Amino acid sequence: MRRKTLFFIVPVILIMMFAPAESAEPVSLDDFLGIVLSNNSALASEAKSAEAAYYSALGALGGPRPSFGVSAGASFLTAQEQEGLRESGESAADLRLTFVQPIDISGKFGLEERQEILAYEMKRAEFARSVNELLASAEESYWSAVFAGENALLQRELLKGRVENLRIAEEKFRLGLVPRLDVVRAEALVVASRTNLAEADAETSNIMAAMALMAGVGVEPAAALESPMTSPDFNAPDSDAALEERPDVKCAALAVRVSDVAVKLAAKGMAPALEVSASWVLFSDPSASSSPQSGELEAVVRLSLPILDNGAKFEKLKTETLKQAAEVSLKHAIETAKMELAVSENNWNRAVALERGRGIEVEKSNEELRITELMYREGMGAQLDLINAQIENQRVRTDYLGAVKEKRVAIVQMRRAVGGYAKRTMFGDFFVPLAAERHAPF
């Protein structure tokens, strides 16, 4: 009697240890992805970085801007002593308005503007890549939680059946129909089922904790879902879609364009610089103490011609090498996208075949178990046959759950491979591609 009491108390303690401290909110898959998109702190940090790049790019639009300034100055000239007499000191003051306008005669400013815009577009692509990766991981965790819950329900059902078998074995032993060994075997199966149930509940709790980290709040899959055992349908995309929509491929392509601009900028290291400035003296005292004098306007055109390159040659070599590296990275990103899409399609086909085969196995195993249990209860079957049928039924039903889960995961992998999750972003309306605002294509 004491042993049977322990059989019931120990699993309850384990379940209480692994149970979440706070109740989680049931959410649908779409709502869960929306919560992750809005609450994930790492994603919010990247969004702010993209926003900063946006403002930096806006500041670069329009080329070099003129500068206006007001300057005031004062001076005092000490007195000099001549022939024993000391003259009084002289003071002067002026107030002037200045205007300076750099002129882009080499095209350098236009390249710098393009560089800032492309840097912003890269931030957008990097953010989209993070969204794609995070939401793919979030959906996979969601389905893992669903199937972990289904597995826990399965283990509870199996436990219930084995407890009933233990009751029958004890009753037959009491009547002298079976040896004590049958009761011991049935008790061992009950213990194993309770251990499996505790493991299933712990796995579910761990997945819930990971989901809470992604979402920033405690959540769990909604109870009113479509049956997770429903076989999902999905049309596999082609590789061209992966290259067009996948964010990391876009990011690598933008990196090539950024490096190309850097090469052109490095080539203009010895380019001349032209600047136009004007200065108007509003006030000076005495009036002749400043140049120009009070009320006069001075205009200056200044052309600077570099003589020494100051390492411009090596800067050009560096940027050309970085461009080659970016081109290799783009090629690798394209090859990786094609490989991941092909792998995800293979996993989908494998999961479809597994789900179909595992489903047939479950049907056959359920029928075998039903017949074996009936024969054992009627005294026409051996307990070992029943135990083998129960163990095999547990295996095939667990495998079937895994096969259906694999189909869901394969869909997630294919969507991720083509950048399907990147379409859900948290950019505001002002986050528009700046390249579209410029008439010159980049």
Coordinates of all heavy atoms in Angstrom, one line a residue, residues 387-430:
I387 N 2.0 -6.3 -22.8 CA 3.1 -5.3 -22.6 C 3.8 -4.9 -23.9 O 4.0 -3.7 -24.1 CB 4.1 -5.8 -21.6 CG1 3.5 -6.0 -20.2 CG2 5.3 -4.9 -21.5 CD1 4.4 -6.6 -19.1
N388 N 4.1 -5.8 -24.7 CA 4.7 -5.5 -26.0 C 3.8 -4.7 -26.9 O 4.3 -3.7 -27.5 CB 5.1 -6.8 -26.7 CG 6.2 -7.6 -26.0 OD1 7.0 -7.0 -25.3 ND2 6.3 -8.9 -26.2
A389 N 2.5 -5.0 -26.8 CA 1.6 -4.2 -27.7 C 1.5 -2.8 -27.1 O 1.4 -1.8 -27.9 CB 0.2 -4.9 -27.7
Q390 N 1.5 -2.6 -25.8 CA 1.4 -1.3 -25.2 C 2.6 -0.5 -25.5 O 2.5 0.7 -25.9 CB 1.2 -1.4 -23.7 CG -0.2 -1.9 -23.3 CD -0.3 -2.1 -21.8 OE1 0.7 -2.3 -21.1 NE2 -1.5 -2.1 -21.3
I391 N 3.8 -1.1 -25.4 CA 5.0 -0.3 -25.7 C 5.1 0.0 -27.1 O 5.5 1.2 -27.5 CB 6.2 -1.2 -25.3 CG1 6.3 -1.4 -23.7 CG2 7.5 -0.6 -25.8 CD1 7.4 -2.3 -23.3
E392 N 4.7 -0.9 -28.0 CA 4.8 -0.6 -29.5 C 3.7 0.5 -29.8 O 4.0 1.4 -30.6 CB 4.5 -1.9 -30.2 CG 4.4 -1.7 -31.7 CD 5.8 -1.3 -32.3 OE1 6.8 -1.4 -31.6 OE2 5.8 -0.9 -33.5
N393 N 2.6 0.5 -29.2 CA 1.6 1.5 -29.4 C 2.0 2.9 -29.0 O 1.8 3.9 -29.7 CB 0.3 1.1 -28.7 CG -0.9 2.1 -29.1 OD1 -1.2 2.9 -28.3 ND2 -1.4 1.9 -30.3
Q394 N 2.7 2.9 -27.8 CA 3.2 4.2 -27.4 C 4.3 4.7 -28.4 O 4.3 5.9 -28.7 CB 3.9 4.0 -26.0 CG 4.6 5.3 -25.5 CD 5.3 5.0 -24.1 OE1 5.2 3.9 -23.6 NE2 5.9 6.1 -23.6
R395 N 5.1 3.8 -28.9 CA 6.2 4.2 -29.8 C 5.6 4.8 -31.1 O 6.0 5.9 -31.5 CB 7.1 3.1 -30.1 CG 8.3 3.5 -31.0 CD 9.0 2.2 -31.5 NE 8.2 1.4 -32.4 CZ 8.0 1.7 -33.7 NH1 8.5 2.8 -34.3 NH2 7.2 0.9 -34.5
V396 N 4.6 4.1 -31.7 CA 4.1 4.5 -33.0 C 3.3 5.8 -32.8 O 3.3 6.7 -33.7 CB 3.3 3.4 -33.7 CG1 4.2 2.2 -34.0 CG2 2.1 3.0 -32.8
R397 N 2.6 5.9 -31.7 CA 1.8 7.2 -31.5 C 2.7 8.4 -31.3 O 2.4 9.5 -31.8 CB 0.8 7.0 -30.4 CG -0.3 5.9 -30.7 CD -1.2 5.7 -29.5 NE -2.1 6.9 -29.3 CZ -3.0 7.0 -28.3 NH1 -3.1 5.9 -27.5 NH2 -3.7 8.0 -28.1
T398 N 3.8 8.2 -30.5 CA 4.7 9.2 -30.3 C 5.4 9.6 -31.6 O 5.6 10.8 -32.0 CB 5.8 8.8 -29.3 OG1 5.1 8.5 -28.1 CG2 6.7 10.0 -29.0
D399 N 5.8 8.6 -32.4 CA 6.4 8.8 -33.7 C 5.5 9.6 -34.7 O 5.9 10.4 -35.4 CB 6.8 7.5 -34.4 CG 8.0 6.9 -33.7 OD1 8.7 7.6 -32.9 OD2 8.3 5.7 -33.9
Y400 N 4.2 9.3 -34.6 CA 3.2 10.0 -35.4 C 3.1 11.4 -35.1 O 3.1 12.3 -35.9 CB 1.8 9.3 -35.3 CG 0.8 10.0 -36.2 CD1 0.9 9.9 -37.6 CD2 -0.3 10.7 -35.6 CE1 -0.1 10.6 -38.4 CE2 -1.2 11.3 -36.4 CZ -1.1 11.3 -37.8 OH -2.0 11.9 -38.6
L401 N 3.1 11.7 -33.8 CA 3.1 13.1 -33.3 C 4.4 13.8 -33.9 O 4.3 15.0 -34.4 CB 3.2 13.2 -31.8 CG 1.8 13.2 -31.1 CD1 2.1 13.2 -29.6 CD2 1.0 14.4 -31.5
G402 N 5.5 13.2 -33.8 CA 6.7 13.8 -34.3 C 6.7 14.0 -35.8 O 7.2 15.0 -36.3
A403 N 6.1 13.1 -36.6 CA 6.0 13.2 -38.0 C 5.1 14.4 -38.4 O 5.4 15.2 -39.3 CB 5.4 12.0 -38.6
V404 N 4.0 14.6 -37.7 CA 3.1 15.7 -38.0 C 3.8 17.0 -37.6 O 3.7 18.1 -38.3 CB 1.8 15.6 -37.2 CG1 0.9 16.8 -37.5 CG2 1.1 14.3 -37.6
K405 N 4.5 17.0 -36.5 CA 5.3 18.2 -36.1 C 6.3 18.5 -37.2 O 6.6 19.7 -37.5 CB 6.0 18.0 -34.8 CG 6.9 19.1 -34.3 CD 7.6 18.8 -33.1 CE 8.6 19.9 -32.7 NZ 9.4 19.6 -31.6
E406 N 7.0 17.5 -37.7 CA 8.0 17.8 -38.7 C 7.4 18.5 -40.0 O 8.1 19.3 -40.6 CB 8.7 16.4 -39.2 CG 9.7 15.9 -38.2 CD 10.5 14.8 -38.7 OE1 10.8 14.8 -40.0 OE2 10.9 13.9 -38.0
K407 N 6.2 18.2 -40.3 CA 5.5 18.9 -41.4 C 5.4 20.3 -41.1 O 5.6 21.2 -42.0 CB 4.2 18.2 -41.7 CG 4.3 16.8 -42.3 CD 2.9 16.3 -42.7 CE 2.3 17.0 -43.9 NZ 1.1 16.4 -44.4
R408 N 5.0 20.7 -39.9 CA 4.8 22.1 -39.5 C 6.2 22.8 -39.5 O 6.3 23.9 -40.0 CB 4.3 22.2 -38.1 CG 2.8 21.6 -38.0 CD 1.8 22.6 -38.6 NE 0.5 22.1 -38.4 CZ -0.6 22.7 -38.8 NH1 -0.5 23.9 -39.4 NH2 -1.8 22.2 -38.5
V409 N 7.2 22.1 -39.0 CA 8.6 22.7 -39.0 C 9.1 22.9 -40.4 O 9.8 23.8 -40.7 CB 9.5 21.8 -38.1 CG1 10.9 22.3 -38.2 CG2 9.1 21.8 -36.7
A410 N 8.8 21.9 -41.3 CA 9.3 22.0 -42.7 C 8.7 23.2 -43.4 O 9.3 23.9 -44.1 CB 9.0 20.7 -43.4
I411 N 7.4 23.5 -43.1 CA 6.8 24.7 -43.6 C 7.4 26.0 -43.1 O 7.7 26.9 -43.9 CB 5.3 24.7 -43.3 CG1 4.5 23.6 -44.0 CG2 4.6 26.1 -43.6 CD1 3.1 23.5 -43.6
V412 N 7.7 26.0 -41.8 CA 8.4 27.1 -41.2 C 9.8 27.3 -41.9 O 10.2 28.4 -42.3 CB 8.6 26.9 -39.7 CG1 9.5 28.0 -39.1 CG2 7.3 26.9 -39.0
Q413 N 10.5 26.2 -42.2 CA 11.8 26.3 -42.8 C 11.7 26.9 -44.2 O 12.6 27.7 -44.6 CB 12.5 24.9 -42.8 CG 12.9 24.4 -41.4 CD 13.4 23.0 -41.4 OE1 13.3 22.3 -42.4 NE2 14.1 22.6 -40.4
M414 N 10.7 26.4 -44.9 CA 10.6 26.9 -46.3 C 10.2 28.4 -46.3 O 10.7 29.2 -47.2 CB 9.5 26.1 -47.1 CG 10.1 24.8 -47.5 SD 8.9 23.9 -48.7 CE 7.8 23.2 -47.5
R415 N 9.3 28.8 -45.4 CA 9.0 30.3 -45.3 C 10.2 31.1 -45.0 O 10.4 32.2 -45.5 CB 7.9 30.5 -44.3 CG 6.5 30.0 -44.8 CD 5.5 30.2 -43.7 NE 4.1 29.7 -44.2 CZ 3.1 29.4 -43.4 NH1 3.3 29.5 -42.1 NH2 2.0 29.0 -43.9
R416 N 11.0 30.6 -44.0 CA 12.2 31.3 -43.6 C 13.2 31.4 -44.8 O 13.8 32.4 -45.0 CB 12.8 30.6 -42.4 CG 14.2 31.2 -42.1 CD 14.9 30.3 -41.1 NE 16.3 30.7 -40.9 CZ 17.2 30.3 -41.8 NH1 16.9 29.5 -42.8 NH2 18.5 30.7 -41.6
A417 N 13.3 30.3 -45.6 CA 14.3 30.2 -46.6 C 14.0 31.2 -47.7 O 14.9 31.7 -48.4 CB 14.3 28.8 -47.2
V418 N 12.7 31.6 -47.9 CA 12.4 32.6 -48.9 C 12.1 34.0 -48.3 O 11.6 34.9 -49.0 CB 11.1 32.2 -49.8 CG1 11.5 30.9 -50.5 CG2 9.9 31.9 -48.9
G419 N 12.4 34.1 -47.0 CA 12.2 35.4 -46.4 C 10.7 35.8 -46.2 O 10.4 37.0 -46.1
G420 N 9.9 34.8 -46.0 CA 8.5 35.1 -45.9 C 8.1 35.8 -44.7 O 7.1 36.5 -44.6
Y421 N 8.8 35.6 -43.6 CA 8.5 36.3 -42.3 C 8.9 37.8 -42.3 O 8.5 38.6 -41.5 CB 9.1 35.6 -41.1 CG 8.6 34.2 -40.9 CD1 9.3 33.1 -41.4 CD2 7.4 34.0 -40.2 CE1 8.8 31.8 -41.3 CE2 6.9 32.7 -40.0 CZ 7.6 31.6 -40.5 OH 7.1 30.4 -40.3
A422 N 9.8 38.2 -43.2 CA 10.3 39.5 -43.2 C 9.3 40.5 -43.7 O 9.5 41.8 -43.5 CB 11.5 39.6 -44.1
K423 N 8.2 40.1 -44.2 CA 7.1 41.0 -44.7 C 6.4 41.6 -43.5 O 5.7 42.7 -43.7 CB 6.1 40.2 -45.6 CG 6.7 39.7 -46.9 CD 5.7 38.9 -47.7 CE 6.4 38.3 -48.9 NZ 5.4 37.5 -49.7
R424 N 6.5 41.0 -42.3 CA 5.9 41.6 -41.1 C 7.0 42.4 -40.4 O 7.9 41.9 -39.8 CB 5.4 40.5 -40.2 CG 4.4 39.6 -40.8 CD 3.9 38.6 -39.8 NE 3.2 39.3 -38.7 CZ 2.3 38.7 -37.9 NH1 2.0 37.4 -38.1 NH2 1.8 39.3 -36.9
T425 N 6.9 43.8 -40.6 CA 7.9 44.6 -40.0 C 7.2 45.6 -39.0 O 6.0 45.8 -39.0 CB 8.7 45.4 -41.0 OG1 7.8 46.3 -41.7 CG2 9.3 44.5 -42.0
M426 N 8.0 46.3 -38.2 CA 7.5 47.3 -37.3 C 7.9 48.7 -37.7 O 8.0 49.6 -36.9 CB 7.9 46.9 -35.9 CG 9.4 46.8 -35.7 SD 9.9 46.0 -34.1 CE 9.2 47.2 -32.9
F427 N 8.3 48.9 -39.0 CA 8.7 50.2 -39.4 C 7.4 51.1 -39.5 O 6.4 50.6 -39.9 CB 9.3 50.1 -40.8 CG 10.7 49.7 -40.8 CD1 11.1 48.6 -41.6 CD2 11.7 50.3 -40.0 CE1 12.5 48.2 -41.6 CE2 13.0 49.9 -40.0 CZ 13.4 48.9 -40.8
G428 N 7.6 52.4 -39.2 CA 6.5 53.3 -39.3 C 6.4 53.8 -40.8 O 7.2 53.4 -41.6
D429 N 5.4 54.6 -41.0 CA 5.2 55.1 -42.4 C 6.4 55.9 -42.9 O 6.6 56.0 -44.1 CB 3.9 56.0 -42.4 CG 2.7 55.1 -42.2 OD1 2.8 53.9 -42.4 OD2 1.7 55.7 -41.8
F430 N 7.1 56.5 -42.0 CA 8.2 57.4 -42.5 C 9.5 56.5 -42.9 O 10.4 57.0 -43.4 CB 8.7 58.4 -41.4 CG 9.1 57.8 -40.1 CD1 10.4 57.4 -39.9 CD2 8.2 57.5 -39.1 CE1 10.8 56.9 -38.7 CE2 8.6 57.0 -37.9 CZ 9.9 56.6 -37.7

